[in-house]
Amino acid sequence: MLRFALGGLAANKVRSALTMLGVLIGVASVILLLAVGNGSSQAVKDSITSLGTNSLTVSSTNLRGSATAARKLTVDDAKALAGATDAPSIKSVAPVVTTTATALYGNISYTPGSIVGTYPAYFETANQKVVQGDYFSNDDVLNSRKVAVIGSTTAKQLFDTEDPVGKRIVLGGTPFTVVGVLATKGSTGFNDPDDVVIAPLPTVQNAFTGFGSVSQILVQADSADATTAAQSDITRILMGTHAITDPGKVDFRVSNQASLLTARESTSKTFTVLLGAVAAISLLVGGIGITNIMLVTVTERTREIGIRKALGAPKAVILGQFLTESTLLSVLGAGLGVVAGIVGSRFSIVGIKPVVIPQSVLGAFAIAVAIGLFFGSYPANRAASLRPIDALRHE
Amino acid sequence: MTARQLPAQQQPAQQRSARQPAAQQPPVIQIRHLTKAYGHGDATVHALRGPLAPGTGEPEGVSLDVEQGDYVAVMGSSGSGKSTLMNILGCLDVPTAGRYLLDGIDVGHLDEQQLSLVRNRKIGFIFQSFNLVPRTTALAQVELPLAYAGVRAAERRRRALAALSLVGLSERAGHRPNELSGGQQQRVAVARALVTAPAMLLADEPTGNLDSRSTRDVLAIIDDLNASGRTVVLITHEDEVAEHAKRVLRLVDGQIVSDVRQAPVDGPPPALRALAGARP
Ligand SMILES: Nc1ncnc2c1ncn2[C@@H]1O[C@H](COP(=O)(O)OP(=O)(O)OP(=O)(O)O)[C@@H](O)[C@H]1O
Ligand SMILES: [Mg+2]
């Protein structure tokens, strides 16, 4: 039977190949598009964890149309947050100032993406880990020591293969001792999180920004679940220090990185579903292609069916022959589609590394074969039900 | 010719029954009041009608008995209903009314599955035009009915080759229909019809498209088959072909108008008898 079916397919090589191509494209696109969608949501998930799921950022806002000039965030605000006894959801607080300056090491000059002045709590809150050397300590902060932890990109630019720990670099005229190098986070977008120099807050304020306001206050909540509680605690405390009574007129904003990214993740889920739908449609079109070809084949071979029936071919045999043919088409097409999909997902597409979902491979294959059976069964059944004389008389 | 040996080894039962007196056997074909009409209303064509019933004026239908081992030629002008009758006899078409008993079994009561068995086991059909399966070698064509009968591959091949050598086409076994001449194609069709050793061979103008030499070849094979006990019904337009038969029916407008016996049922077909007479 398989030999008959193969013969039938071989009799029309181009037609069979094109039909298989339809199924191939359907299956490959299901696998590939779902892999791309999956890859992008994986990337979002990774960047959530790299940012720290329970970190909150407080930044100041200039309320438009507000009569009173907005108060900037200060170290005192941070101290108020850290010292609050009635806010158990707040684990740690790190005021942050950012600036830029050119770094010199020997005769190498390089401008890192940013220079951050902060407290040691920053490292944990922002999920920055030191892989070489050590973090700077609270003692370094209290004594305004000129020490710095540098990101891996910065380290590469300034020191190349040298060990940066213990070396001195000059930042905007002030010499700093490098005490640690951060683990590489990898670029997720336009800015490189590894192109950074982190130093104690008072040191940076003293050398660059002055002792006025801070750019941000980074707060770490007790846990990912406590972020909402922490958010309201922060708002309450800062409204106190800023002497604001109307919640509509706050001059700062507490943003939750995790929720921002959750939103982005759900967007990418929608994206995946859409991609999947497009792919499913192409799979369906491939299935309709099979029906079409089988209908043509059946019509073309109606006389042959009549002869076979006149020779005593039972209905089941004719049915089996055409079903085998259409299933063979879909199995071969789907098999090649799986190969194409998996090979295709080895390349990164529009900056996204596709991650193949094993279920999608099995699913697409199974669906394609089922479609072959289902769509093939109509023409096959039509062929097998013909009365021999009607089939023989067929023009 | 090996014609007389082949069926003997294939179906000994058949051979035995052929030797028994015909009178003890029920007719292989019994049709009673068979009619076939195409279309509806005014456009109805009565392809088979038989005599009109005296009272009502309605077609009464065709009735006919064919004995085991008979050799019947059906003649008649074009459109007289010969093919219609033949298709019903071959279980390829169903009559509008009437009964058809094949070997005493009412074919009208059989389902699709049983009908395909009947076509496969009891009937060998040769079509008006060659009707070979395209892109299939002569050997595979002849193997087809055996494959549907569930014969094992080796046995199938052996019997198909024997049938092909019977029609003188052993060396053409690997050829496809488009590589065979018309006469060769028709002989492949004959080989395919006889390979299952059916009790009944139905041939619709088997020589209609053949030259006189090919006609003689094909008829010689059919004569041999009849001599070995097969019932043969064939349609023809040519008197020379009809002379080979033991009995000649004439159809006019779906009605049997004459029924002439040329030779006894249990004797050899006329052509072989003449041959035997010429060379004692
Ligand atoms: N499928 C059909 N639909 C309608 N009419 C049909 C059909 N088949 C046959 N007929 C009609 O039935 C009549 C008998 O046809 P049939 O094929 O039996 O003729 P025939 O005796 O075999 O003729 P020929 O010698 O030309 O083969 C014809 O008038 C034909 O037009
Ligand atoms: Mg005819």
Side-chain angles (χ1 to χ4, degrees):
Chain A
M1 187 130 81
L2 206 63
R3 205 162 44 87
F4 273 139
L6 274 174
L9 294 183
N12 266 302
K13 291 197 185 63
V14 176
R15 190 200 285 172
S16 307
L18 285 176
T19 316
M20 279 199 292
L21 190 67
V23 181
L24 188 156
I25 290 173
V27 170
S29 61
V30 165
I31 293 173
L32 204 55
L33 293 184
L34 285 180
V36 167
N38 187 39
S40 79
S41 68
Q42 204 95 311
V44 170
K45 231 179 258 160
D46 288 350
S47 65
I48 289 175
T49 35
S50 82
L51 264 168
T53 39
N54 42 1
S55 74
L56 295 159
T57 310
V58 186
S59 47
S60 68
T61 51
N62 271 325
L63 267 189
R64 238 168 253 169
S66 153
T68 51
R71 275 185 60 177
K72 293 281 170 69
L73 293 167
T74 60
V75 178
D76 290 335
D77 289 331
K79 281 181 177 148
L81 289 175
T85 48
D86 54 349
S89 55
I90 296 174
K91 190 178 172 195
S92 65
V93 178
V96 175
V97 293
T98 47
T99 184
T100 50
T102 304
L104 291 169
Y105 172 70
N107 53 3
I108 301 162
S109 162
Y110 175 70
T111 309
S114 60
I115 292 163
V116 173
T118 187
Y119 289 173
Y122 175 86
F123 293 106
E124 196 193 337
T125 312
N127 200 25
Q128 295 273 29
K129 288 191 180 61
V130 163
V131 284
Q132 264 176 285
D134 206 351
Y135 304 94
F136 57 76
S137 62
N138 280 323
D139 198 40
D140 294 326
V141 174
L142 287 175
N143 296 309
S144 299
R145 292 213 180 95
K146 296 187 178 72
V147 291
V149 172
I150 61 176
S152 57
T153 305
T154 316
K156 176 116 185 56
Q157 293 292 339
L158 284 174
F159 297 97
D160 198 15
T161 53
E162 262 185 87
D163 181 7
V165 178
K167 301 279 173 358
R168 288 189 147 239
I169 57 171
V170 179
L171 274 177
T174 315
F176 283 79
T177 308
V178 177
V179 292
V181 179
L182 294 168
T184 306
K185 279 185 147 183
S187 172
T188 48
F190 297 107
N191 50 3
D192 182 356
D194 299 319
D195 193 11
V196 70
V197 175
I198 302 171
L201 178 70
T203 319
V204 176
Q205 283 179 317
N206 188 25
F208 305 102
T209 60
F211 291 90
S213 59
V214 298
S215 340
Q216 284 180 336
I217 300 174
L218 216 58
V219 179
Q220 189 180 24
D222 227 20
S223 66
D225 300 329
T227 47
T228 327
Q231 202 157 350
S232 59
D233 283 342
I234 293 164
T235 311
R236 181 171 46 77
I237 295 163
L238 290 188
M239 273 167 68
T241 56
H242 288 202
I244 301 167
T245 46
D246 183 359
K249 286 187 178 167
V250 291
D251 52 3
F252 55 89
R253 191 180 58 206
V254 186
S255 56
N256 180 341
Q257 298 279 18
S259 71
L260 211 76
L261 286 165
T262 313
R264 244 170 72 187
E265 191 191 19
S266 80
T267 318
S268 84
K269 275 222 179 78
T270 319
F271 178 61
T272 309
V273 169
L274 273 177
L275 286 179
V278 169
I281 288 170
S282 68
L283 196 57
L284 190 73
V285 170
I288 293 172
I290 293 185
T291 323
N292 202 359
I293 288 312
M294 290 317 290
L295 272 174
V296 171
T297 308
V298 165
T299 315
E300 221 182 50
R301 290 165 61 183
T302 305
R303 276 181 72 94
E304 181 192 325
I305 293 166
I307 300 168
R308 289 178 184 273
K309 294 201 86 171
L311 295 178
K315 181 174 170 170
V317 170
I318 306 257
L319 196 69
Q321 186 188 341
F322 283 92
L323 269 188
T324 314
E325 226 167 90
S326 65
T327 311
L328 211 60
L329 269 182
S330 57
V331 166
L332 286 179
L336 292 174
V338 166
V339 172
I342 289 175
V343 168
S345 65
R346 299 200 168 272
F347 306 98
S348 73
I349 295 155
V350 286
I352 300 165
K353 179 96 195 65
V355 179
V356 174
I357 314 170
Q359 294 98 304
S360 82
V361 176
L362 281 178
F365 188 83
I367 288 170
V369 173
I371 280 179
L373 267 174
F374 181 77
F375 284 101
S377 70
Y378 166 64
N381 202 38
R382 231 178 60 153
S385 308
L386 286 172
R387 229 194 279 151
I389 194 66
D390 295 333
L392 281 169
R393 285 229 185 86
H394 186 87
E395 301 289 284
Chain B
M1 271 292 174
T2 51
R4 257 153 286 179
Q5 296 157 13
L6 179 75
Q9 13 171 287
Q10 280 173 4
Q11 229 179 34
Q14 198 59 57
Q15 191 77 359
R16 262 200 313 278
S17 65
R19 288 201 196 98
Q20 283 168 8
Q24 284 182 9
Q25 288 280 319
V28 233
I29 295 171
Q30 286 175 285
I31 57 176
R32 295 286 174 268
H33 304 296
L34 203 74
T35 60
K36 177 74 185 178
Y38 295 106
H40 302 281
D42 288 345
T44 309
V45 176
H46 288 280
L48 280 181
R49 62 166 107 203
L52 298 184
T56 55
E58 287 289 303
E60 197 172 65
V62 174
S63 297
L64 175 73
D65 281 358
V66 175
E67 299 295 333
Q68 172 80 55
D70 208 348
Y71 190 166
V72 182
V74 181
M75 300 192 72
S77 57
S78 183
S80 55
K82 306 183 296 294
S83 294
T84 306
L85 177 65
M86 197 63 119
N87 291 336
I88 292 171
L89 291 183
C91 298
L92 303 179
D93 207 351
V94 288
T96 310
R99 301 207 313 150
Y100 169 27
L101 281 80
L102 178 64
D103 272 347
I105 303 160
D106 192 335
V107 169
H109 294 159
L110 300 181
D111 64 18
E112 172 76 32
Q113 178 80 27
Q114 292 166 317
L115 274 178
S116 64
L117 261 176
V118 166
R119 287 181 207 124
N120 188 242
R121 302 286 156 83
K122 296 204 169 165
I123 301 167
F125 208 107
I126 302 167
F127 297 96
Q128 191 160 356
S129 45
F130 310 118
N131 281 306
L132 297 182
V133 179
R135 301 182 303 273
T136 308
T137 62
L139 182 65
Q141 306 268 1
V142 180
E143 281 188 13
L144 267 185
L146 296 174
Y148 295 138
V151 177
R152 274 175 300 104
E155 170 77 357
R156 212 156 68 197
R157 200 180 157 77
R158 192 183 64 75
R159 282 169 68 172
L161 281 172
L164 277 176
S165 77
L166 193 63
V167 298
L169 283 177
S170 302
E171 71 284 8
R172 292 278 186 279
H175 289 227
R176 288 159 212 281
N178 55 348
E179 299 160 356
L180 291 169
S181 78
Q184 288 169 335
Q185 288 186 42
Q186 193 64 300
R187 281 189 277 160
V188 171
V190 173
R192 193 179 60 188
L194 60 85
V195 73
T196 51
M200 192 162 81
L201 189 73
L202 303 177
D204 191 346
E205 299 194 37
T207 60
N209 298 318
L210 302 183
D211 65 7
S212 55
R213 197 185 126 61
S214 300
T215 300
R216 247 179 288 127
D217 289 350
V218 169
L219 280 177
I221 298 163
I222 295 176
D223 285 348
D224 277 344
L225 286 170
N226 178 248
S228 69
R230 310 256 174 280
T231 310
V232 175
V233 180
L234 68 77
I235 292 177
T236 184
H237 281 291
E238 296 157 72
D239 290 327
E240 303 88 81
V241 176
E243 276 166 12
H244 286 251
K246 297 172 181 170
R247 181 183 176 193
V248 179
L249 296 177
R250 273 177 203 282
L251 279 183
V252 172
D253 283 344
Q255 193 173 337
I256 298 175
V257 293
S258 85
D259 184 348
V260 178
R261 179 154 293 287
Q262 306 188 136
V265 174
D266 45 359
L272 291 187
R273 198 174 47 185
L275 216 72
R279 272 183 277 148

